[in-house]
Amino acid sequence: MARSASHEAVGYFEQALSTLPHLPEQRATLEQAIDLRLALRPALFPLGDLGRILAILREAEALTQALDDPRRLALVSVSLAPYFNFRGAYDQATAAAQRALALATSGGEVVLQAVANQYLGQAYLAQGDYRRAIACLRQTVAFWEGARRHERSGSPFLPAVASRALLAACYAELGTFVEGRTLGEEGLQIAEAVDHPASLMIASWGIGLLFLHQGDLRRALPLLERAMGICHETDLPVYFPRIAAALGAAYTLTGRVTDAVGLLTQALEQTMAMALGGFQALCSFLLGEAQLLAGRLEEAHTLADGALACAREHQEHCNEAYALHLLGDIAAQRMPPECDQADDHYQQALALAEALGVRPLQAHCHRGLGTLYAVTGQREQARTALSTVIEMYRAMEMTFWLPQTEAALAQVEGR
Protein backbone atom coordinates (compact mmCIF):
# COMPACT_ATOMS: atom_id res chain seq x y z
CA MET A 1 0.00 0.00 0.00
CA ALA A 2 2.85 2.40 0.80
CA ARG A 3 4.03 2.01 -2.81
CA SER A 4 0.51 2.38 -4.32
CA ALA A 5 0.73 -1.29 -5.41
CA SER A 6 -2.95 -1.96 -4.83
CA HIS A 7 -3.26 -5.31 -6.65
CA GLU A 8 -0.46 -6.85 -4.61
CA ALA A 9 -1.83 -5.37 -1.37
CA VAL A 10 -5.28 -6.86 -2.06
CA GLY A 11 -3.70 -10.29 -2.56
CA TYR A 12 -1.93 -10.21 0.79
CA PHE A 13 -4.93 -8.86 2.70
CA GLU A 14 -7.18 -11.52 1.14
CA GLN A 15 -4.70 -14.23 2.20
CA ALA A 16 -4.74 -12.84 5.73
CA LEU A 17 -8.54 -12.92 5.78
CA SER A 18 -8.59 -16.52 4.56
CA THR A 19 -6.60 -17.62 7.64
CA LEU A 20 -9.10 -16.21 10.14
CA PRO A 21 -11.57 -19.13 10.10
CA HIS A 22 -8.73 -21.35 11.37
CA LEU A 23 -8.30 -19.24 14.52
CA PRO A 24 -10.37 -19.48 17.73
CA GLU A 25 -13.56 -17.39 17.61
CA GLN A 26 -12.76 -14.97 20.39
CA ARG A 27 -12.86 -11.21 20.72
CA ALA A 28 -9.26 -10.67 19.57
CA THR A 29 -9.90 -12.69 16.41
CA LEU A 30 -13.12 -10.79 15.67
CA GLU A 31 -11.28 -7.49 16.15
CA GLN A 32 -8.64 -8.66 13.70
CA ALA A 33 -11.38 -9.67 11.25
CA ILE A 34 -12.72 -6.09 11.36
CA ASP A 35 -9.27 -4.51 11.10
CA LEU A 36 -8.29 -6.63 8.09
CA ARG A 37 -11.46 -5.66 6.25
CA LEU A 38 -10.78 -2.01 7.02
CA ALA A 39 -7.23 -2.42 5.70
CA LEU A 40 -8.49 -4.18 2.55
CA ARG A 41 -10.90 -1.33 1.72
CA PRO A 42 -8.28 1.29 0.70
CA ALA A 43 -6.43 -1.36 -1.32
CA LEU A 44 -9.59 -2.24 -3.27
CA PHE A 45 -10.70 1.35 -3.70
CA PRO A 46 -8.18 2.54 -6.32
CA LEU A 47 -9.05 -0.54 -8.39
CA GLY A 48 -12.71 0.46 -8.49
CA ASP A 49 -14.07 -2.77 -7.01
CA LEU A 50 -16.89 -0.89 -5.26
CA GLY A 51 -19.19 -3.91 -4.94
CA ARG A 52 -16.56 -5.85 -3.00
CA ILE A 53 -15.84 -2.77 -0.88
CA LEU A 54 -19.45 -2.41 0.21
CA ALA A 55 -19.66 -6.13 1.01
CA ILE A 56 -16.58 -6.15 3.26
CA LEU A 57 -17.62 -2.93 5.00
CA ARG A 58 -21.08 -4.32 5.74
CA GLU A 59 -19.40 -7.46 7.13
CA ALA A 60 -17.14 -5.29 9.29
CA GLU A 61 -20.14 -3.23 10.42
CA ALA A 62 -22.02 -6.34 11.54
CA LEU A 63 -18.98 -7.64 13.46
CA THR A 64 -18.45 -4.24 15.08
CA GLN A 65 -22.05 -3.98 16.26
CA ALA A 66 -21.81 -7.49 17.69
CA LEU A 67 -18.71 -6.46 19.65
CA ASP A 68 -20.24 -3.12 20.70
CA ASP A 69 -17.03 -1.34 19.70
CA PRO A 70 -17.68 2.42 19.11
CA ARG A 71 -14.14 3.12 17.85
CA ARG A 72 -14.28 0.45 15.18
CA LEU A 73 -17.83 1.47 14.30
CA ALA A 74 -16.47 4.97 13.67
CA LEU A 75 -13.76 3.45 11.45
CA VAL A 76 -16.36 1.53 9.44
CA SER A 77 -18.54 4.63 9.08
CA VAL A 78 -15.63 6.79 7.91
CA SER A 79 -14.73 4.06 5.39
CA LEU A 80 -18.27 4.02 3.99
CA ALA A 81 -18.23 7.78 3.30
CA PRO A 82 -15.84 7.71 0.27
CA TYR A 83 -17.73 4.72 -1.14
CA PHE A 84 -20.97 6.73 -1.14
CA ASN A 85 -19.17 9.81 -2.49
CA PHE A 86 -17.96 7.92 -5.55
CA ARG A 87 -21.42 6.45 -6.08
CA GLY A 88 -22.90 9.95 -6.00
CA ALA A 89 -24.99 9.11 -2.91
CA TYR A 90 -23.99 12.27 -1.05
CA ASP A 91 -26.73 12.16 1.59
CA GLN A 92 -25.47 8.73 2.65
CA ALA A 93 -21.85 9.89 2.46
CA THR A 94 -22.67 12.87 4.67
CA ALA A 95 -24.58 10.70 7.16
CA ALA A 96 -21.71 8.17 7.37
CA ALA A 97 -19.08 10.90 7.85
CA GLN A 98 -21.18 12.70 10.46
CA ARG A 99 -21.77 9.46 12.37
CA ALA A 100 -18.02 8.77 12.31
CA LEU A 101 -17.32 12.34 13.44
CA ALA A 102 -19.75 12.06 16.36
CA LEU A 103 -18.33 8.71 17.50
CA ALA A 104 -14.74 9.91 17.09
CA THR A 105 -15.44 13.12 19.01
CA SER A 106 -17.09 11.32 21.91
CA GLY A 107 -14.23 8.81 22.00
CA GLY A 108 -11.50 11.43 21.74
CA GLU A 109 -10.23 9.90 18.47
CA VAL A 110 -8.60 12.97 16.91
CA VAL A 111 -7.20 11.19 13.84
CA LEU A 112 -10.63 9.83 13.00
CA GLN A 113 -12.14 13.28 13.40
CA ALA A 114 -9.70 14.64 10.82
CA VAL A 115 -10.43 11.83 8.35
CA ALA A 116 -14.19 12.22 8.80
CA ASN A 117 -13.93 15.95 8.16
CA GLN A 118 -12.10 15.29 4.90
CA TYR A 119 -14.81 12.95 3.57
CA LEU A 120 -17.52 15.30 4.80
CA GLY A 121 -15.81 18.13 2.94
CA GLN A 122 -15.64 15.96 -0.17
CA ALA A 123 -19.41 15.37 -0.07
CA TYR A 124 -20.09 19.10 0.30
CA LEU A 125 -17.67 19.88 -2.55
CA ALA A 126 -19.46 17.47 -4.89
CA GLN A 127 -22.79 19.18 -4.18
CA GLY A 128 -21.37 22.66 -4.79
CA ASP A 129 -21.51 23.69 -1.12
CA TYR A 130 -18.00 25.10 -1.22
CA ARG A 131 -18.14 27.16 1.97
CA ARG A 132 -18.99 24.13 4.12
CA ALA A 133 -16.49 22.00 2.19
CA ILE A 134 -13.73 24.53 2.87
CA ALA A 135 -14.62 24.67 6.58
CA CYS A 136 -14.25 20.87 6.88
CA LEU A 137 -11.12 20.60 4.73
CA ARG A 138 -9.43 23.47 6.56
CA GLN A 139 -9.82 21.49 9.79
CA THR A 140 -8.23 18.49 8.08
CA VAL A 141 -5.29 20.56 6.83
CA ALA A 142 -4.76 22.05 10.30
CA PHE A 143 -4.64 18.58 11.86
CA TRP A 144 -2.18 17.03 9.38
CA GLU A 145 0.54 19.58 10.05
CA GLY A 146 4.07 19.27 11.34
CA ALA A 147 5.17 15.68 11.92
CA ARG A 148 1.76 14.41 10.76
CA ARG A 149 2.19 15.79 7.22
CA HIS A 150 3.69 12.52 5.96
CA GLU A 151 1.27 10.14 7.71
CA ARG A 152 -1.20 8.12 5.63
CA SER A 153 -3.65 6.83 8.24
CA GLY A 154 -4.77 3.96 6.03
CA SER A 155 -5.76 6.22 3.14
CA PRO A 156 -4.74 5.74 -0.53
CA PHE A 157 -3.35 9.32 -0.33
CA LEU A 158 -1.55 11.31 2.32
CA PRO A 159 -4.44 13.24 3.98
CA ALA A 160 -2.23 16.37 4.10
CA VAL A 161 -2.00 16.16 0.29
CA ALA A 162 -5.56 15.11 -0.53
CA SER A 163 -7.16 17.80 1.67
CA ARG A 164 -5.06 20.50 0.00
CA ALA A 165 -5.92 19.21 -3.48
CA LEU A 166 -9.63 19.25 -2.63
CA LEU A 167 -9.31 22.76 -1.20
CA ALA A 168 -7.61 23.89 -4.42
CA ALA A 169 -10.62 22.50 -6.30
CA CYS A 170 -13.01 24.44 -4.04
CA TYR A 171 -11.12 27.72 -4.43
CA ALA A 172 -10.93 27.18 -8.21
CA GLU A 173 -14.72 27.13 -8.43
CA LEU A 174 -15.00 30.23 -6.23
CA GLY A 175 -12.39 32.08 -8.29
CA THR A 176 -10.15 32.55 -5.23
CA PHE A 177 -7.13 31.46 -7.22
CA VAL A 178 -4.32 32.92 -5.10
CA GLU A 179 -5.40 31.10 -1.94
CA GLY A 180 -6.10 27.89 -3.83
CA ARG A 181 -2.75 28.00 -5.60
CA THR A 182 -0.86 28.33 -2.30
CA LEU A 183 -2.59 25.25 -0.88
CA GLY A 184 -2.31 23.26 -4.10
CA GLU A 185 1.42 23.92 -4.39
CA GLU A 186 1.93 22.99 -0.73
CA GLY A 187 0.21 19.66 -1.40
CA LEU A 188 2.42 19.05 -4.43
CA GLN A 189 5.57 19.76 -2.42
CA ILE A 190 4.52 17.34 0.33
CA ALA A 191 3.76 14.60 -2.20
CA GLU A 192 7.07 15.10 -4.02
CA ALA A 193 8.99 14.98 -0.72
CA VAL A 194 7.72 11.47 0.11
CA ASP A 195 7.61 10.19 -3.50
CA HIS A 196 4.20 8.54 -3.01
CA PRO A 197 2.66 7.96 -6.50
CA ALA A 198 -1.04 8.17 -5.61
CA SER A 199 -0.50 11.31 -3.53
CA LEU A 200 1.52 12.86 -6.35
CA MET A 201 -1.35 12.09 -8.72
CA ILE A 202 -4.04 13.78 -6.60
CA ALA A 203 -1.77 16.75 -5.85
CA SER A 204 -1.05 17.29 -9.57
CA TRP A 205 -4.78 17.05 -10.31
CA GLY A 206 -5.71 19.60 -7.62
CA ILE A 207 -3.31 22.36 -8.65
CA GLY A 208 -3.75 21.51 -12.34
CA LEU A 209 -7.52 21.87 -12.02
CA LEU A 210 -7.09 25.29 -10.42
CA PHE A 211 -4.90 26.52 -13.29
CA LEU A 212 -7.44 25.09 -15.75
CA HIS A 213 -10.28 27.09 -14.21
CA GLN A 214 -8.15 30.23 -14.36
CA GLY A 215 -7.35 29.52 -18.02
CA ASP A 216 -3.61 29.15 -17.39
CA LEU A 217 -3.17 26.22 -19.77
CA ARG A 218 0.62 26.54 -19.88
CA ARG A 219 0.68 25.42 -16.24
CA ALA A 220 -2.44 23.25 -16.21
CA LEU A 221 -1.58 20.84 -19.05
CA PRO A 222 1.76 19.46 -17.73
CA LEU A 223 0.28 18.91 -14.28
CA LEU A 224 -2.85 17.16 -15.53
CA GLU A 225 -0.86 15.04 -17.98
CA ARG A 226 1.46 14.08 -15.12
CA ALA A 227 -1.56 13.04 -13.04
CA MET A 228 -2.88 10.97 -15.95
CA GLY A 229 0.49 9.30 -16.43
CA ILE A 230 0.62 8.25 -12.77
CA CYS A 231 -2.99 7.03 -12.94
CA HIS A 232 -2.05 4.70 -15.81
CA GLU A 233 1.35 3.64 -14.47
CA THR A 234 0.10 2.71 -11.00
CA ASP A 235 -3.17 1.19 -12.28
CA LEU A 236 -5.66 3.35 -10.34
CA PRO A 237 -8.77 3.05 -12.56
CA VAL A 238 -11.27 4.45 -10.05
CA TYR A 239 -9.57 7.85 -10.31
CA PHE A 240 -9.34 7.84 -14.12
CA PRO A 241 -12.67 9.66 -14.76
CA ARG A 242 -11.75 12.52 -12.38
CA ILE A 243 -8.29 13.01 -13.94
CA ALA A 244 -9.52 12.48 -17.50
CA ALA A 245 -12.34 15.01 -17.02
CA ALA A 246 -9.89 17.77 -16.13
CA LEU A 247 -7.36 16.83 -18.82
CA GLY A 248 -10.11 16.50 -21.44
CA ALA A 249 -11.41 19.96 -20.54
CA ALA A 250 -7.87 21.33 -20.95
CA TYR A 251 -7.62 19.73 -24.39
CA THR A 252 -10.95 21.32 -25.35
CA LEU A 253 -9.72 24.78 -24.35
CA THR A 254 -6.51 24.34 -26.37
CA GLY A 255 -8.52 23.29 -29.45
CA ARG A 256 -7.36 19.66 -29.36
CA VAL A 257 -10.91 18.52 -29.99
CA THR A 258 -10.13 14.99 -31.20
CA ASP A 259 -7.99 14.30 -28.12
CA ALA A 260 -10.67 15.79 -25.85
CA VAL A 261 -13.52 13.77 -27.36
CA GLY A 262 -11.54 10.52 -27.22
CA LEU A 263 -10.42 10.96 -23.61
CA LEU A 264 -13.78 12.21 -22.31
CA THR A 265 -15.68 9.44 -24.12
CA GLN A 266 -13.43 6.89 -22.41
CA ALA A 267 -13.97 8.62 -19.07
CA LEU A 268 -17.76 8.61 -19.43
CA GLU A 269 -17.79 4.96 -20.52
CA GLN A 270 -15.65 3.95 -17.53
CA THR A 271 -17.87 5.99 -15.21
CA MET A 272 -20.91 4.09 -16.45
CA ALA A 273 -19.18 0.69 -16.39
CA MET A 274 -17.99 1.13 -12.80
CA ALA A 275 -21.23 2.81 -11.66
CA LEU A 276 -19.33 5.91 -10.48
CA GLY A 277 -22.38 8.14 -10.21
CA GLY A 278 -20.28 10.93 -8.70
CA PHE A 279 -18.54 11.57 -12.05
CA GLN A 280 -21.30 10.96 -14.59
CA ALA A 281 -22.64 14.51 -14.86
CA LEU A 282 -19.11 15.99 -14.88
CA CYS A 283 -17.90 13.76 -17.73
CA SER A 284 -21.15 14.24 -19.67
CA PHE A 285 -21.17 18.04 -19.82
CA LEU A 286 -17.42 18.23 -20.48
CA LEU A 287 -17.78 15.78 -23.38
CA GLY A 288 -20.74 17.89 -24.52
CA GLU A 289 -18.51 20.98 -24.58
CA ALA A 290 -15.94 19.14 -26.70
CA GLN A 291 -18.63 17.88 -29.09
CA LEU A 292 -20.02 21.42 -29.42
CA LEU A 293 -16.57 22.71 -30.37
CA ALA A 294 -16.40 19.90 -32.94
CA GLY A 295 -19.68 21.17 -34.42
CA ARG A 296 -21.74 18.15 -33.34
CA LEU A 297 -24.65 20.07 -31.82
CA GLU A 298 -27.06 17.15 -31.47
CA GLU A 299 -24.52 14.97 -29.68
CA ALA A 300 -23.68 17.93 -27.45
CA HIS A 301 -27.36 18.53 -26.69
CA THR A 302 -27.97 14.90 -25.73
CA LEU A 303 -24.97 14.96 -23.41
CA ALA A 304 -26.00 18.29 -21.85
CA ASP A 305 -29.53 17.02 -21.19
CA GLY A 306 -28.13 13.86 -19.61
CA ALA A 307 -25.70 15.85 -17.47
CA LEU A 308 -28.49 18.14 -16.27
CA ALA A 309 -30.75 15.23 -15.30
CA CYS A 310 -27.90 13.41 -13.55
CA ALA A 311 -26.74 16.53 -11.68
CA ARG A 312 -30.25 17.21 -10.46
CA GLU A 313 -30.74 13.58 -9.40
CA HIS A 314 -27.55 13.64 -7.32
CA GLN A 315 -28.02 17.26 -6.16
CA GLU A 316 -24.73 18.33 -7.75
CA HIS A 317 -25.74 21.98 -7.95
CA CYS A 318 -22.57 23.33 -9.56
CA ASN A 319 -22.62 20.64 -12.26
CA GLU A 320 -26.27 21.53 -12.82
CA ALA A 321 -25.21 25.14 -13.49
CA TYR A 322 -22.47 24.01 -15.90
CA ALA A 323 -24.96 21.83 -17.80
CA LEU A 324 -27.40 24.75 -18.08
CA HIS A 325 -24.59 26.99 -19.35
CA LEU A 326 -23.74 24.40 -22.00
CA LEU A 327 -27.40 24.21 -23.07
CA GLY A 328 -27.28 28.01 -23.45
CA ASP A 329 -24.18 27.74 -25.65
CA ILE A 330 -25.83 25.07 -27.80
CA ALA A 331 -29.03 27.09 -28.29
CA ALA A 332 -27.00 30.21 -29.13
CA GLN A 333 -24.96 28.39 -31.78
CA ARG A 334 -27.86 26.85 -33.67
CA MET A 335 -28.72 28.22 -37.09
CA PRO A 336 -30.75 30.28 -36.63
CA PRO A 337 -29.96 30.87 -32.93
CA GLU A 338 -32.66 29.83 -30.45
CA CYS A 339 -32.31 33.13 -28.61
CA ASP A 340 -35.11 32.77 -26.04
CA GLN A 341 -33.93 29.31 -25.00
CA ALA A 342 -30.31 30.43 -24.84
CA ASP A 343 -31.23 33.43 -22.70
CA ASP A 344 -33.31 31.27 -20.37
CA HIS A 345 -30.55 28.67 -19.92
CA TYR A 346 -27.87 31.31 -19.31
CA GLN A 347 -30.07 33.11 -16.77
CA GLN A 348 -30.79 29.86 -14.89
CA ALA A 349 -27.08 28.97 -14.87
CA LEU A 350 -26.17 32.49 -13.70
CA ALA A 351 -28.72 32.47 -10.87
CA LEU A 352 -27.43 29.11 -9.63
CA ALA A 353 -23.77 30.17 -9.97
CA GLU A 354 -24.49 33.34 -7.98
CA ALA A 355 -26.24 31.36 -5.25
CA LEU A 356 -23.21 29.04 -4.99
CA GLY A 357 -20.66 31.87 -5.20
CA VAL A 358 -19.06 30.30 -8.28
CA ARG A 359 -17.54 33.44 -9.80
CA PRO A 360 -15.71 32.02 -12.87
CA LEU A 361 -18.94 30.40 -14.06
CA GLN A 362 -20.83 33.64 -13.38
CA ALA A 363 -18.35 35.40 -15.67
CA HIS A 364 -18.81 32.78 -18.40
CA CYS A 365 -22.60 33.20 -18.14
CA HIS A 366 -22.32 36.98 -18.57
CA ARG A 367 -20.08 36.40 -21.60
CA GLY A 368 -22.67 34.07 -23.11
CA LEU A 369 -25.44 36.59 -22.50
CA GLY A 370 -23.37 39.49 -23.84
CA THR A 371 -22.54 37.60 -27.04
CA LEU A 372 -26.19 36.60 -27.44
CA TYR A 373 -27.41 40.18 -26.97
CA ALA A 374 -24.89 41.39 -29.54
CA VAL A 375 -26.25 38.89 -32.09
CA THR A 376 -29.85 39.95 -31.44
CA GLY A 377 -29.05 43.66 -31.70
CA GLN A 378 -29.60 44.47 -28.00
CA ARG A 379 -26.57 46.74 -27.91
CA GLU A 380 -27.02 48.28 -24.46
CA GLN A 381 -27.63 44.91 -22.78
CA ALA A 382 -24.65 43.48 -24.67
CA ARG A 383 -22.42 46.36 -23.57
CA THR A 384 -23.46 45.94 -19.92
CA ALA A 385 -22.95 42.16 -19.89
CA LEU A 386 -19.61 42.23 -21.72
CA SER A 387 -18.28 45.08 -19.57
CA THR A 388 -19.24 43.09 -16.48
CA VAL A 389 -17.46 39.96 -17.63
CA ILE A 390 -14.30 41.85 -18.63
CA GLU A 391 -14.15 43.37 -15.15
CA MET A 392 -14.62 39.92 -13.58
CA TYR A 393 -12.01 38.25 -15.78
CA ARG A 394 -9.48 40.96 -14.94
CA ALA A 395 -10.21 40.79 -11.21
CA MET A 396 -9.66 37.01 -11.21
CA GLU A 397 -6.75 37.20 -13.70
CA MET A 398 -8.62 34.90 -16.10
CA THR A 399 -6.81 36.41 -19.08
CA PHE A 400 -7.36 33.46 -21.42
CA TRP A 401 -10.90 34.63 -22.22
CA LEU A 402 -10.18 38.37 -22.27
CA PRO A 403 -9.11 38.98 -25.92
CA GLN A 404 -12.23 37.42 -27.41
CA THR A 405 -14.51 39.21 -24.93
CA GLU A 406 -12.81 42.58 -25.45
CA ALA A 407 -13.11 42.14 -29.23
CA ALA A 408 -16.84 41.42 -28.85
CA LEU A 409 -17.30 44.58 -26.76
CA ALA A 410 -15.34 46.67 -29.28
CA GLN A 411 -17.60 45.40 -32.04
CA VAL A 412 -20.72 46.28 -30.06
CA GLU A 413 -19.37 49.77 -29.43
CA GLY A 414 -18.43 50.21 -33.10
CA ARG A 415 -14.72 50.57 -32.39
Side-chain angles (χ1 to χ4, degrees):
M1 281 297 293
R3 292 169 175 77
S4 300
S6 298
H7 279 288
E8 291 80 358
V10 167
Y12 287 118
F13 285 135
E14 292 281 16
Q15 285 184 58
L17 274 173
S18 70
T19 68
L20 284 173
H22 303 288
L23 296 173
E25 190 170 326
Q26 55 194 25
R27 186 177 183 90
T29 308
L30 293 174
E31 288 173 347
Q32 197 167 17
I34 297 165
D35 294 344
L36 273 171
R37 284 170 171 84
L38 292 172
L40 177 57
R41 192 274 307 175
L44 286 167
F45 206 93
L47 306 178
D49 194 350
L50 299 189
R52 175 80 174 115
I53 287 168
L54 184 61
I56 63 162
L57 288 178
R58 291 305 189 202
E59 289 168 8
E61 189 174 41
L63 290 167
T64 306
Q65 288 170 342
L67 286 179
D68 189 23
D69 188 331
R71 178 181 169 276
R72 285 186 170 83
L73 184 57
L75 284 166
V76 173
S77 296
V78 87
S79 298
L80 281 166
Y83 166 85
F84 288 126
N85 272 327
F86 271 71
R87 287 291 200 207
Y90 305 115
D91 287 347
Q92 289 174 276
T94 301
Q98 286 176 336
R99 179 169 69 160
L101 191 58
L103 287 166
T105 302
S106 64
E109 299 285 344
V110 292
V111 173
L112 265 175
Q113 289 176 50
V115 175
N117 266 315
Q118 180 177 314
Y119 292 137
L120 193 55
Q122 205 167 331
Y124 291 143
L125 186 161
Q127 293 181 292
D129 192 346
Y130 299 111
R131 301 300 180 190
R132 289 169 81 181
I134 287 168
C136 290
L137 293 167
R138 278 287 189 183
Q139 290 185 58
T140 307
V141 165
F143 180 80
W144 299 103
E145 279 290 17
R148 292 192 178 115
R149 272 193 171 195
H150 299 152
E151 293 179 13
R152 280 196 34 250
S153 187
S155 169
F157 313 114
L158 271 71
V161 173
S163 53
R164 283 171 169 81
L166 293 168
L167 276 168
C170 290
Y171 286 120
E173 294 291 358
L174 297 176
T176 316
F177 295 113
V178 174
E179 195 163 0
R181 179 178 173 179
T182 300
L183 285 157
E185 288 177 343
E186 279 179 9
L188 193 58
Q189 289 165 8
I190 296 166
E192 286 173 337
V194 297
D195 192 25
H196 185 248
S199 295
L200 197 54
M201 179 191 72
I202 203 70
S204 299
W205 164 81
I207 186 66
L209 184 69
L210 180 129
F211 286 132
L212 172 65
H213 277 273
Q214 197 170 15
D216 189 344
L217 297 174
R218 183 180 63 84
R219 288 187 172 96
L221 269 171
L223 287 159
L224 295 173
E225 287 176 338
R226 181 189 196 183
M228 179 56 69
I230 296 169
C231 188
H232 285 311
E233 289 163 15
T234 52
D235 194 16
L236 303 171
V238 78
Y239 303 110
F240 173 79
R242 171 179 280 169
I243 309 297
L247 182 56
Y251 286 156
T252 299
L253 279 184
T254 54
R256 294 170 58 178
V257 181
T258 302
D259 291 335
V261 168
L263 186 59
L264 290 165
T265 298
Q266 188 183 350
L268 182 58
E269 288 172 352
Q270 190 159 320
T271 295
M272 303 292 284
M274 297 173 72
L276 300 175
F279 300 111
Q280 188 176 335
L282 174 69
C283 292
S284 295
F285 79 74
L286 288 174
L287 178 56
E289 288 179 353
Q291 295 286 27
L292 178 60
L293 189 61
R296 305 184 189 103
L297 268 68
E298 296 312 318
E299 288 92 332
H301 193 272
T302 300
L303 286 159
D305 273 342
L308 183 62
C310 183
R312 285 174 171 168
E313 178 188 349
H314 294 294
Q315 299 178 12
E316 296 172 0
H317 304 300
C318 192
N319 286 340
E320 179 184 352
Y322 278 112
L324 286 164
H325 177 265
L326 174 57
L327 285 167
D329 282 345
I330 294 165
Q333 291 186 35
R334 290 193 182 278
M335 298 299 287
E338 296 173 349
C339 299
D340 289 344
Q341 284 191 32
D343 187 281
D344 183 54
H345 288 312
Y346 284 140
Q347 294 288 2
Q348 286 186 62
L350 179 58
L352 195 46
E354 287 175 343
L356 298 171
V358 180
R359 291 163 61 228
L361 182 54
Q362 290 173 44
H364 296 324
C365 289
H366 283 298
R367 182 165 60 96
L369 286 165
T371 307
L372 181 68
Y373 295 149
V375 168
T376 55
Q378 298 169 273
R379 295 171 66 86
E380 193 54 44
Q381 292 95 321
R383 185 182 294 108
T384 300
L386 292 170
S387 297
T388 298
V389 70
I390 287 169
E391 186 180 332
M392 292 183 76
Y393 282 156
R394 286 175 178 164
M396 292 183 283
E397 297 184 6
M398 294 173 65
T399 56
F400 178 85
W401 294 274
L402 265 178
Q404 186 181 3
T405 312
E406 288 172 339
L409 179 61
Q411 191 173 4
V412 167
E413 294 177 337
R415 289 189 270 124

